[in-house]
Amino acid sequence: MKYALTFALLMLTLVAKPCGWSQEEGQFFYNIFDQTAISSEVYYPFLRTDDALFYMDPAYEDWRYDGNIELWNQLLPKWTPEEIKKVLYALRPTEWQRFWDGRNTALEVAAKTYISFALKCGNVFNFRSDRSWDYEELLAQKTVEVGPLLEEGIQLYQAEKNQQLRLRYAYQIVRILHYTQHHQEAVSFFEQKVPPPAQKTEIYYYLIDQLAGCYYSLGERAKAGRLFMEVVLHSRDRKASAYRSFRYCEESLEVSEYLETATDSLDFVLLKSLNGFSDGLAVLKELAEMAPADERVELLFMRTLNDIEREVWPTQIGMQAKDFPHIEPKTQLRIEALDDLAKKLMAAPAVTNISFWQLTSSYLSFLQGRIPEAQKKLDRLNGNQHEAQKQLLARVYEVFSWDNIRTKEEQSLDEMLGDLISQESMEYYDILPSTWQGFILERVGHIYYKNGQLAKAFLVHNNIEELDRIGSLPLLDDLLVFMDKADKNTFEKSLAKRSKTKSTGYEGKVYITYLKGLYYLQQAKPEMALAPLTVKTATGYPLGGYVSAKVFSNNTMECFSCPEEQVMVDSVYLSFAFIKDRFRKYELAAYLIKLDSIAEHATDWKKKLAHYLLGNYYFNVSNTGYYRGLLWERHNCCHGDYAFYEPSSHIAAKDQVTTGKGYNFFGIDRFYTSSFGLQLHAMKHYQQVISHSTNKELNARCYYMMAKCELNDLYNTHGRAELRYREISGKPTEVTLPYKQSFQQLKAAYSDTEFYRQIIKECSFFKTYCSF
């Protein structure tokens, strides 16, 4: 007997509708407590993740067949899973026919008949895999003739005796009806002709996934949600698509009226939480009251604990004003609530997985700073379960219990970490963030820093080349002391391996000494810079590149990307024959010392020229000067190293180190300072030139250079925002143009000079000023 609905559908041309959607998480927190510590692997996919729809499996999306393959294997136990995959998904038509040679048992013949029909259905609806944002376009282009296909399926379903194959035919029939939008007919077929299976297998979940789609299209969202929920929680292959569909069931909160068993109720409470319909902690407590021993309680507890980890263990704290753990008051309340619940469940008579609750209780005590208590709980942990997690927590508790790090503690660190932090083949960013090693080093770096062991605090998180922009004399001095230490232990030797520069191969002590010389140049103390700058490599070469004598020149043309011959045109420096055309940094220090002496003791003409060259030098090496990268061992162009920062938003590393601010030295080089106040030294020298000079051309040039120094000071004191001197609203004011004194002098007293006539043509900024 044929079904009535078959006649209604025979030979009809029908249309099928496609549908679908999809969603990343950086290494922004340390995951110390392994989520897979829960009892049941069945719930692993629902552990907390933002990377994919399901935990541990970014590919856990639509194309999963493991459950289906395993079910086929139960039907055909002599076949291998690989053979089943081939015949279902991989073989070409000619290969498919040859595959069946010699496979002629009654069950194999029946299987061949079904697979042949299933492949035919797949081909008919293959267009559903087309990718398009325009459903109407697909509807207009795709029509399918399903009457004969449906009739064939019903005949095969009626004739089949094997229960698994029969259920597979039912799946195909409902699928045909669903995809052709005959949703009520699909529901009627299922309700009238498909008896409840003795055992719910993977193909049953395939079937009710299709059926749920029909209910959804009929507007019966609660029924659809109930079936999608069952597929999500019990299917291996259709979990992802069913979960998406469940999330789209807007009325799924009404599913409760269709729940049949206590297990259904627990599943619904779980899905409400996973779907974000309710507060996770509240649902966890509700579930714990309903069934304290249920594995779903462990799942929701673990998800909540992982949420807390995301808040309290941020990676790369560095110089931020944060504690580690970083616990806000609301988070503290959540931790306390979890701790209370863990203790309650650990004591509940029905709970059998005591070790899980012992482990979580230990960790929650640690999060609250009660490390001895946490360690005692860990020591009492029953059995050999969670051994890897127990060992990891033991390491963490040990390191966080330290107030200081001496030889004994460094021996423990060496046993934990080995030579990891000295691996030159891998950058720190690649190997440590979000790992337990990186987590431990966050704390280790902090302890070193807190106790004034600056060198070790630095080397825990940085290679020596990251020192050049920091400008902290206490850090440089401590590194030199550390380099000189003769009896380094194994861990200290690992740290010391980070002190050899990769790009140049300089030895750590030599390089740090050289940086100390640069530091004194940055501080305008050439007499202290001279000795450290004379340091040489093992092969006898001085460090650093050459310096051009034009560093003592000046410019009116502003162009950092232009060659110095084009920009630095003033040649007064040639008056001093002792200055070579090219020289090393130690010679620069010597020249500065000599010019300082001339400026102090020589006759007037030499005195004023020495001040003039010193003024030019200090402006040129300031962060708005043409040679602004000279004291950083960097090019003067063209990147953001010389950007200006508001003091409130950018506290330089050297100042943070001096005051002990920040947590550790991770990323400390980001907190460099671009200004050493050298423009102020330039101003003083230009003022000295004017006080000793009657040469109006020279004095006019000095006033122009002083205006550049004043502008530099405005940049570094107030940032770029205040440079916009009310061009829109009208004339500049004293507040917005604090550098106007030198421009004012230049305009008032030197407008008859050749330099004035030159600069008003070349400098639009000065021309604008003079126009008011």
Side-chain angles (χ1 to χ4, degrees):
M1 174 181 171
K2 299 185 190 288
Y3 301 122
L5 63 93
T6 305
F7 296 108
L9 296 174
L10 278 176
M11 308 308 295
L12 291 179
T13 300
L14 302 173
V15 195
K17 254 188 179 176
C19 63
W21 81 293
S22 122
Q23 139 187 106
E24 188 174 16
E25 154 184 74
Q27 295 181 327
F28 64 90
F29 79 104
Y30 291 104
N31 179 201
I32 299 306
F33 202 99
D34 181 11
Q35 292 194 79
T36 62
I38 62 174
S39 301
S40 177
E41 293 184 15
V42 170
Y43 294 111
Y44 281 3
F46 303 104
L47 291 169
R48 180 75 166 84
T49 182
D50 292 334
D51 277 337
L53 198 58
F54 294 104
Y55 181 75
M56 291 179 68
D57 195 351
Y60 205 141
E61 298 296 336
D62 295 313
W63 306 113
R64 292 292 297 241
Y65 309 115
D66 295 349
N68 187 33
I69 299 299
E70 186 176 296
L71 190 60
W72 273 110
N73 231 159
Q74 293 173 17
L75 187 69
L76 304 168
K78 293 184 179 180
W79 290 25
T80 66
E82 290 70 27
E83 288 174 324
I84 294 171
K85 288 177 186 176
K86 274 186 181 182
V87 76
L88 291 177
Y89 309 117
L91 293 179
R92 297 174 182 173
T94 54
E95 295 172 333
W96 193 85
Q97 288 296 339
R98 288 198 298 270
F99 175 86
W100 293 98
D101 292 346
R103 302 175 191 269
N104 48 20
T105 66
L107 199 52
E108 287 173 326
V109 171
K112 179 181 179 182
T113 301
Y114 168 76
I115 295 171
S116 178
F117 177 72
L119 291 174
K120 189 184 299 185
C121 293
N123 290 332
V124 168
F125 296 107
N126 190 50
F127 75 90
R128 287 177 59 87
S129 63
D130 290 347
R131 295 293 183 258
S132 173
W133 293 107
D134 189 347
Y135 284 0
E136 297 306 319
E137 178 185 337
L138 284 176
L139 290 174
Q141 293 177 358
K142 302 293 181 181
T143 59
V144 283
E145 193 90 18
V146 298
L149 184 68
L150 183 61
E151 182 179 20
E152 180 185 357
I154 292 173
Q155 289 174 349
L156 291 169
Y157 174 76
Q158 287 178 309
E160 183 56 59
K161 303 302 181 187
N162 180 276
Q163 292 305 308
Q164 184 187 137
L165 292 176
R166 188 176 173 83
L167 202 56
R168 288 184 180 277
Y169 281 118
Y171 159 68
Q172 296 294 348
I173 292 167
V174 171
R175 182 178 175 225
I176 292 169
L177 294 170
H178 178 201
Y179 287 175
T180 54
Q181 301 180 71
H182 289 78
H183 308 299
Q184 185 56 59
E185 289 86 344
V187 170
S188 298
F189 171 79
F190 178 82
E191 291 178 346
Q192 297 170 19
K193 302 300 178 180
V194 181
Q199 181 181 3
K200 294 181 178 181
T201 61
E202 187 65 27
I203 195 61
Y204 173 78
Y205 298 119
Y206 275 54
L207 170 56
I208 64 170
D209 185 35
Q210 293 287 334
L211 186 67
C214 295
Y215 277 125
Y216 185 91
S217 298
L218 291 169
E220 298 190 57
R221 305 295 172 82
K223 282 186 178 180
R226 161 68 182 81
L227 292 176
F228 282 135
M229 180 182 77
E230 189 173 354
V231 178
V232 170
L233 291 168
H234 302 292
S235 171
R236 292 177 60 183
D237 301 348
R238 305 308 301 156
K239 194 179 295 292
S241 65
Y243 185 48
R244 291 196 200 94
S245 299
F246 180 83
R247 292 169 68 174
Y248 279 109
C249 287
E250 296 175 2
E251 291 83 12
S252 58
L253 286 177
E254 300 172 9
V255 168
S256 54
E257 63 183 283
Y258 295 99
L259 302 179
E260 299 171 357
T261 66
T263 298
D264 288 345
S265 299
L266 292 174
D267 285 344
F268 180 58
V269 171
L270 174 61
L271 260 293
K272 275 199 305 181
S273 175
L274 297 180
N275 211 25
F277 288 155
S278 48
D279 175 61
L281 189 56
V283 174
L284 170 59
K285 291 178 179 178
E286 177 187 351
L287 199 61
E289 286 294 326
M290 292 170 63
D294 193 88
E295 293 165 341
R296 298 169 186 79
V297 177
E298 294 179 22
L299 170 62
L300 290 189
F301 189 96
M302 186 57 71
R303 285 174 59 91
T304 307
L305 184 58
N306 189 259
D307 262 338
I308 289 172
E309 282 198 314
R310 289 162 187 262
E311 298 172 20
V312 305
W313 299 129
T315 59
Q316 306 176 17
I317 293 182
M319 305 303 291
Q320 298 177 64
K322 287 185 177 181
D323 290 323
F324 195 68
H326 176 67
I327 301 178
E328 300 285 354
K330 287 184 178 179
T331 307
Q332 179 64 38
L333 293 176
R334 294 177 73 202
I335 292 172
E336 291 171 1
L338 276 190
D339 194 16
D340 290 342
L341 184 58
K343 291 173 183 174
K344 180 179 178 181
L345 290 168
M346 195 161 42
V351 173
T352 56
N353 188 17
I354 301 298
S355 61
F356 173 81
W357 299 110
Q358 287 176 320
L359 194 64
T360 55
S361 179
S362 169
Y363 185 58
L364 288 162
S365 293
F366 166 65
L367 285 178
Q368 296 172 86
R370 303 194 297 267
I371 297 177
E373 176 186 306
Q375 186 60 57
K376 285 180 181 177
K377 290 179 178 178
L378 197 65
D379 292 340
R380 292 197 297 266
L381 193 64
N382 296 333
N384 296 321
Q385 284 183 288
H386 314 295
E387 191 58 33
Q389 180 70 74
K390 183 178 177 180
Q391 290 178 13
L392 173 57
L393 291 181
R395 293 190 199 105
V396 168
Y397 296 172
E398 179 185 357
V399 172
F400 274 72
S401 70
W402 297 339
D403 290 322
N404 212 325
I405 299 179
R406 302 180 183 84
T407 302
K408 178 184 175 183
E409 288 77 17
E410 286 174 339
Q411 183 178 351
S412 293
L413 287 173
D414 185 58
E415 292 170 359
M416 291 180 198
L417 304 173
D419 201 34
L420 177 67
I421 60 173
S422 70
Q423 290 184 33
E424 295 184 1
S425 61
M426 300 175 74
E427 291 295 331
Y428 177 82
Y429 286 96
D430 296 331
I431 60 175
L432 293 183
S434 78
T435 66
W436 67 266
Q437 294 97 328
F439 178 80
I440 282 175
L441 287 177
E442 293 275 13
R443 177 67 179 178
V444 169
H446 172 70
I447 298 171
Y448 279 139
Y449 181 29
K450 182 183 70 174
N451 289 290
Q453 296 171 279
L454 301 182
K456 293 179 180 180
F458 178 81
L459 293 172
V460 160
H461 287 112
N462 303 277
N463 290 317
I464 206 74
E465 285 172 313
E466 289 151 13
L467 263 179
D468 59 354
R469 300 194 300 178
I470 296 172
S472 169
L473 186 60
L475 176 56
L476 292 171
D477 283 338
D478 202 49
L479 280 162
L480 287 172
V481 171
F482 178 71
M483 293 296 109
D484 277 338
K485 185 181 179 185
D487 57 340
K488 294 183 181 70
N489 60 45
T490 307
F491 186 73
E492 288 173 328
K493 289 176 182 177
S494 292
L495 289 174
K497 288 180 183 178
R498 304 192 74 153
S499 66
K500 185 173 182 179
T501 61
K502 294 180 182 178
S503 59
T504 62
Y506 295 153
E507 291 298 326
K509 183 178 179 182
V510 172
Y511 184 64
I512 296 166
T513 302
Y514 174 70
L515 291 181
K516 189 171 180 180
L518 290 182
Y519 167 82
Y520 283 122
L521 286 182
Q522 294 162 2
Q523 303 302 311
K525 296 178 179 178
E527 69 286 352
M528 300 185 72
L530 182 59
L533 289 174
T534 58
V535 70
K536 295 182 179 180
T537 66
T539 55
Y541 287 96
L543 275 66
Y546 282 97
V547 183
S548 168
K550 289 183 180 292
V551 75
F552 293 110
S553 178
N554 62 43
N555 63 303
T556 56
M557 173 186 177
E558 302 297 336
C559 179
F560 292 107
S561 60
C562 298
E564 63 179 5
E565 294 80 9
Q566 185 180 348
V567 178
M568 310 302 289
V569 295
D570 184 82
S571 57
V572 174
Y573 67 91
L574 296 174
S575 301
F576 292 106
F578 63 83
I579 299 176
K580 298 190 295 188
D581 288 341
R582 293 171 72 241
F583 44 85
R584 297 283 191 173
K585 295 286 196 333
Y586 69 89
E587 294 173 293
L588 170 62
Y591 293 162
L592 293 173
I593 293 169
K594 190 164 186 176
L595 288 170
D596 277 334
S597 178
I598 294 171
E600 179 108 13
H601 304 296
T603 57
D604 275 355
W605 77 269
K606 284 189 175 182
K607 184 189 292 282
K608 71 180 179 183
L609 290 185
H611 278 300
Y612 183 63
L613 265 60
L614 287 167
N616 288 343
Y617 161 78
Y618 280 117
F619 178 77
N620 285 334
V621 296
S622 75
N623 62 333
T624 57
Y626 182 81
Y627 296 99
R628 56 189 182 173
L630 184 69
L631 304 186
W632 286 11
E633 290 294 301
R634 278 170 168 74
H635 296 294
N636 68 323
C637 185
C638 294
H639 44 72
D641 285 349
Y642 311 107
F644 312 108
Y645 293 90
E646 301 242 357
S648 61
S649 63
H650 186 86
I651 303 174
K654 62 184 180 64
D655 300 322
Q656 297 209 53
V657 172
T658 300
T659 57
K661 292 182 178 178
Y663 188 76
N664 59 41
F665 286 172
F666 185 98
I668 187 174
D669 63 318
R670 303 173 198 161
F671 292 84
Y672 61 87
T673 178
S674 62
S675 173
F676 307 105
L678 297 178
Q679 77 281 357
L680 301 178
H681 292 275
M683 280 283 290
K684 291 176 183 177
H685 286 293
Y686 288 132
Q687 288 166 348
Q688 286 295 317
V689 174
I690 293 169
S691 69
H692 290 89
S693 173
T694 57
N695 185 323
K696 292 192 73 175
E697 293 293 338
L698 179 61
N699 291 355
R701 185 175 282 268
C702 283
Y703 273 118
Y704 178 74
M705 294 304 298
M706 287 167 64
K708 291 171 73 171
C709 292
E710 290 167 346
L711 185 59
N712 174 292
D713 190 49
L714 178 64
Y715 282 173
N716 290 296
T717 305
H718 301 287
R720 285 184 182 272
E722 294 189 32
L723 300 182
R724 296 174 181 171
Y725 53 92
R726 310 284 171 86
E727 291 174 288
I728 297 174
S729 58
K731 288 187 176 183
T733 66
E734 287 190 28
V735 174
T736 55
L737 283 181
Y739 53 86
K740 74 174 187 176
Q741 291 101 332
S742 296
F743 271 177
Q744 189 177 58
Q745 287 294 321
L746 182 57
K747 178 182 178 182
Y750 296 92
S751 59
D752 59 340
T753 62
E754 183 62 32
F755 180 79
Y756 181 93
R757 288 189 287 275
Q758 171 196 341
I759 201 63
I760 204 166
K761 291 179 182 177
E762 294 183 7
C763 179
S764 59
F765 200 55
F766 180 59
K767 184 178 180 179
T768 301
Y769 173 80
C770 291
S771 67
F772 291 111

